[in-house]
Amino acid sequence: MFSAASLLTTLLLALFVAGSPVEVRNSPITLPIARRLNTSGGTVNLVQHDKARVANIKDRSTSTLDRRAGSIPVINDVFSYGAQVGIGSPATTYNLIVDTGSSNTWIGASTAYVNTSTSVNTGQPVEVSYGSGYFVGTEYTDTVTLGSGLTILKQSIGVASTSEGFAGFDGILGIGPLDLTEGTLTNEETATIPTVTQNLHSQGTISQIVIGISFEPTTSQTVTNGELTFGGIDATKYTGSLAYTPLTTISPASTYWGINESITYGSTTILSATAGIVDTGTTLIYIATDAFDKYQSATGATLDTDTGLLGITLPKYDALKNLDFNIGKTVYSLTPNGQIWPRSLNTYIGGSSSSIYLIVNDIGLPSGEGSDFVNGQTFLERFYSVFDTTNSRIGFATTKYTNATTN
């Protein structure tokens, strides 16, 4: 009998033809993901966490510990999507943050690593900083299990001896570009580490290095409301057609999952066409300071010092216009409800239960810096996304939640 993975690989390879990139639909290799609001330390500072991460993205010179020690405060992850990942044989299950903004997979922040017959200590020290946290440890290779029986052999993982900023999680499942692993093995500063998606491809499990991601808006503190699809897409998770845009060539956004876009509020362009990134590890949407100032002025919002978010009155909410993200030839509209924080979660971030807060915030630098926006979770919860390494592109599509009014 052929394994399910072998049959899938045979089927997907048969689809390849010369010409336009092939879109692999309805891949059965899926992994549920759950969104969790971390309130272990009390009221969370959402903006502080996000801005520490965004600062790290904007300046990759801070990406190693010896270059950043003491420069950025460590804040526990606030709102993250986690996946249950098995490591070892027999496998121990770890709850890992799903992160397109980094590429190392590592464990040990909470649950200790369990050595099994498949564990191999390479002896290589490894470290990664995220602005909002870091880990230091040792590289191992081990069997990694994603979903029901989908295994990766000899996957590089970091086993943390020290970590900060990840309360409630065991580490990270890094699904960013390969180049983000360069320099994370401290004794081999030019070496890169194959990611989980690359090893799925090189071991013949998937035919393309593609990940489809489905998030959904939620008003709950913890809920399983997302899905990762490896090697293709899940056509049941979106409506209409996927539209793709090439990865940007503008640095530093080009180091990440970076694209070009412009942003319009109503009929007013607040951010001209520029480069930025799409990031599952950032909660809010961040735009360059000049664009943020235009958005604040147009919405009539005022800065709320308790949350760090823009606040608006109910009449101003009723007057909100769509916020349009112009990506390639397609416009992705955030409705007024899509532009506000879930009101049922206001008190968790230090806000008032009766207030209305906007999820667009200031990136802290003017446009023209090479990474002028971050489309975070609050954008991705309204649109299906496809991260396609094979064809150097990102795709988006509307979902049944694009126009949801749950917030």
Side-chain angles (χ1 to χ4, degrees), residues 11-307:
L11 173 61
L12 298 186
L13 287 173
L15 294 174
F16 275 100
V17 293
S20 299
V22 173
E23 186 175 271
V24 180
R25 297 170 65 86
N26 296 327
S27 169
I29 305 174
T30 61
L31 182 64
I33 51 180
R35 191 168 84 157
R36 180 177 183 273
L37 175 62
N38 178 18
T39 57
S40 59
T43 301
V44 297
N45 193 318
L46 182 62
V47 173
Q48 184 184 14
H49 166 270
D50 267 3
K51 286 196 170 182
R53 179 181 175 89
V54 169
N56 195 56
I57 290 170
K58 294 277 288 183
D59 183 5
R60 290 203 72 225
S61 67
T62 65
S63 62
T64 55
L65 290 176
D66 56 345
R67 294 172 185 164
R68 65 164 290 282
S71 61
I72 298 176
V74 171
I75 310 105
N76 278 329
D77 262 273
V78 174
F79 231 139
S80 298
Y81 279 90
Q84 300 293 305
V85 177
I87 297 178
S89 182
T92 299
T93 299
Y94 302 90
N95 186 25
L96 304 185
I97 295 169
V98 176
D99 189 9
T100 59
S102 67
S103 302
N104 293 72
T105 294
W106 64 274
I107 59 174
S110 181
T111 304
Y113 178 53
V114 178
N115 278 275
T116 68
S117 60
T118 54
S119 304
V120 177
N121 184 342
T122 70
Q124 289 278 5
V126 59
E127 59 184 47
V128 182
S129 72
Y130 303 89
S132 55
Y134 71 88
F135 92 93
V136 177
T138 304
E139 183 196 37
Y140 280 69
T141 62
D142 210 336
T143 298
V144 173
T145 303
L146 303 172
S148 179
L150 176 65
T151 58
I152 308 169
L153 303 178
K154 299 180 180 179
Q155 172 65 45
S156 169
I157 60 169
V159 175
S161 56
T162 303
S163 67
E164 287 194 57
F166 302 95
F169 292 93
D170 297 316
I172 284 181
L173 177 67
I175 54 175
L178 173 66
D179 287 350
L180 290 177
T181 67
E182 183 176 345
T184 58
L185 293 176
T186 54
N187 290 342
E188 297 185 22
E189 292 191 355
T190 61
T192 57
I193 301 171
T195 65
V196 290
T197 47
Q198 288 179 313
N199 276 335
L200 283 170
H201 179 258
S202 65
Q203 293 176 21
T205 305
I206 58 177
S207 64
Q208 296 191 51
I209 309 175
V210 175
I211 297 178
I213 300 183
S214 169
F215 293 150
E216 301 169 7
T218 181
T219 57
S220 302
Q221 184 177 351
T222 302
V223 62
T224 301
N225 68 334
E227 178 189 87
L228 295 181
T229 302
F230 294 92
I233 60 176
D234 185 345
T236 68
K237 296 295 184 180
Y238 62 89
T239 58
S241 301
L242 278 162
Y244 290 91
T245 190
L247 298 180
T248 189
T249 58
I250 299 173
S251 178
S254 58
T255 308
Y256 297 84
W257 284 109
I259 60 173
N260 297 326
E261 72 179 25
S262 64
I263 302 176
T264 304
Y265 177 77
S267 60
T268 302
T269 297
I270 62 171
L271 184 66
S272 298
T274 186
I277 73 166
V278 183
D279 183 31
T280 62
T282 301
T283 304
L284 304 176
I285 295 168
Y286 288 84
I287 56 177
T289 299
D290 46 312
F292 175 77
D293 290 343
K294 293 176 184 177
Y295 179 73
Q296 180 177 1
S297 176
T299 58
T302 57
L303 182 65
D304 177 73
T305 56
D306 291 331
T307 62

Side-chain angles (χ1 to χ4, degrees), residues 1 16 195 252 286 290 316 357 382 389:
M1 294 290 292
F16 275 100
T195 65
Y286 288 84
D290 46 312
K316 285 184 169 58
Y357 303 106
R382 299 286 172 149
T389 299

Side-chain angles (χ1 to χ4, degrees), residues 348-386:
Y348 291 109
I349 61 169
S352 166
S353 61
S354 60
S355 296
I356 303 174
Y357 303 106
L358 299 174
I359 50 81
V360 177
N361 214 284
D362 183 5
I363 209 168
L365 288 170
S367 57
E369 297 291 318
S371 185
D372 295 336
F373 60 85
V374 179
N375 294 350
Q377 293 169 15
T378 46
F379 175 86
L380 294 170
E381 287 173 350
R382 299 286 172 149
F383 303 99
Y384 188 77
S385 56
V386 180

